């Protein structure tokens, strides 16, 4: 049986065929759209072990449009403005006109069912959203099952279970905010991406029983501030000081306050850049400063993160703000913004050197002898010296060379700069290694979240 849905008849279809299959509390969306790729190809073969269904997605919930429990392998054909779904015999089952992004194909069991596409296994369903010249390839699945694929990528499965549970609540809160607020990827048709830009998602292939248990044991729990769920930010290691969200990113965020972290273990790193390498990185980032003369930290957060770096050269100056410092220098090398420039080859240093100088010394004589042309020597009575009567002494000056200490300024001699830092990531919110430390000392997941996020509740 062929199902046709167009823009004009969508409402009618909604009324006759739309059935809400899952409902969640208003703060916890039931489903999330994860952007797992971007392709230009418009033909996809998808296999659903439990049979497939067509759903409509809206605001974190899904509605069943039509179910095909006996069809396991389908062919999706996409082009500008429509999606066609065929069975393996080429029979057209479903056509969507207009905004194709709201419809998707999924397992008849969207909570537990899986599908295979291109040799990869996924939970839930597959949505295609026209984006630019190609399509966003989107995995639509239950929010809780999505977290199964996030936790092992964001925290080691070997961490204590209370740390894993804190991470599960953080990841759920972040994703819930992205779904309910429209998110930064709405133009691409999904709520979260699979990279560190949002939180890393590895699909079914990365799931781990310990991580899945941490998700199940905290099902539906979010972090609340002033009665509303909040995005819980986290990083690997904050270098010993929790950063303020306001200072690092701007914008009001009362639950992301700065304070010293008593649990975060030390994580020191060091990186060097030669003059040539630094110039090349700056050029790539669009800064041409010529021969570099000076690299200076000109602004810091209260927690010690570098908020502004100024590079001065003979052809110009580059002022690099907090948002670009790590990407310009390489975020894998400069692991956090908590760093010092410990050796700056371009800057002049003051030091003391020893060096010879000419010195005048004075010899004072109080008794004089006169050697006459005749060879006669006799003591001269000063009263006899009429021409020099102004002075009682005869002064003779002589020059000699002595060594003295002197302060001079010169280049440090280092080829490039050496940066010494601590921590890994932005340092705002929860430190994952700090959470591990707290859990190992007996704190529960709610204690951990309330330590890292100011004045929040976990429910
Ligand atoms: Zn993202």
């Amino acid at each position: 049986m062929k199902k046709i849905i167009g823009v004009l008849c969508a409402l009618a279809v909604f009324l006759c065929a739309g059935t809400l299959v899952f409902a969640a509390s208003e703060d916890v969306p039931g489903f999330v759209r994860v952007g797992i790729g971007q392709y230009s190809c418009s033909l996809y073969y998808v296999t659903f072990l439990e049979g497939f269904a067509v759903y409509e997605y809206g605001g974190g919930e899904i509605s069943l449009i039509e179910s095909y429990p006996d069809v396991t392998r389908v062919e999706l054909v996409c082009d500008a403005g429509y999606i066609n779904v065929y069975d393996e015999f080429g029979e057209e089952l479903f056509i969507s006109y207009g905004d194709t992004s709201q419809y998707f194909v999924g397992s008849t069991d969207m909570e537990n069912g899986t599908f295979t596409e291109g040799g990869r296994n996924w939970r839930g369903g597959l949505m295609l959203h026209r984006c630019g010249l190609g399509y966003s390839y989107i995995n639509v699945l239950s929010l809780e099952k999505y977290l199964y694929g996030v936790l092992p990528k964001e925290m080691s499965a070997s961490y204590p279970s209370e740390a894993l549970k804190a991470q599960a609540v953080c990841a759920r809160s972040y994703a819930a905010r992205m779904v309910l607020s429209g998110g930064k990827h709405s133009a691409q048709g999904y709520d979260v991406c699979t990279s560190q830009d949002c939180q890393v998602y590895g699909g079914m292939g990365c799931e781990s029983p310990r991580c899945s248990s941490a998700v199940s044991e905290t099902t539906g729990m979010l972090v609340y501030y002033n009665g509303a769920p909040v995005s819980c930010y986290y990083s690997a290691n904050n270098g010993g000081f929790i950063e303020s969200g306001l200072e690092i990113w701007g914008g009001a965020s009362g639950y992301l306050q700065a304070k010293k972290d008593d649990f975060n273990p030390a994580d020191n790193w060091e990186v060097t850049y030669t003059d040539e390498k630094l110039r090349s990185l700056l050029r790539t980032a669009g800064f041409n400063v010529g021969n570099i003369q000076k690299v200076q930290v000109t602004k810091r957060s209260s927690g010690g993160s570098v908020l502004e770096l100024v590079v001065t050269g003979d052809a110009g100056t580059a002022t690099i703000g907090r948002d670009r410092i790590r990407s310009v220098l390489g975020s894998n090398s400069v692991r956090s913004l908590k760093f010092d420039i410990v050796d700056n080859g371009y800057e002049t240093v003051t030091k003391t050197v020893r060096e010879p100088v000419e010195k005048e010394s004075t010899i004072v004589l109080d008794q004089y002898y006169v050697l006459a042309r005749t060879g006669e020597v006799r003591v001269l009575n000063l009263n006899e010296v009429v021409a020099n009567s102004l002075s009682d002494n005869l002064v003779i000056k002589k020059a000699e060379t002595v060594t003295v200490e002197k302060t001079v300024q010169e280049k440090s001699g280092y080829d490039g700069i050496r940066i010494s830092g601590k921590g890994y990531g932005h340092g705002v919110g929860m430190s994952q290694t700090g959470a591990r430390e707290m859990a190992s000392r007996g704190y529960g997941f709610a204690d951990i979240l309330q330590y890292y996020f100011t004045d929040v509740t976990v429910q």
Side-chain angles (χ1 to χ4, degrees), residues 4-17:
I4 301 176
I5 295 182
V7 174
L8 295 175
C9 65
L11 181 62
V13 171
F14 230 152
L15 294 174
C16 65

Side-chain angles (χ1 to χ4, degrees), residues 112-141:
N112 297 303
T114 62
F115 69 92
T116 306
E117 191 282 328
R120 295 183 295 176
N121 295 322
W122 305 95
R123 293 180 179 276
L126 176 66
M127 177 186 278
L128 299 165
H129 174 79
R130 191 165 173 78
C131 186
L133 295 175
Y135 284 86
S136 294
Y137 193 88
I138 300 164
N139 185 195
V140 184
L141 77 166

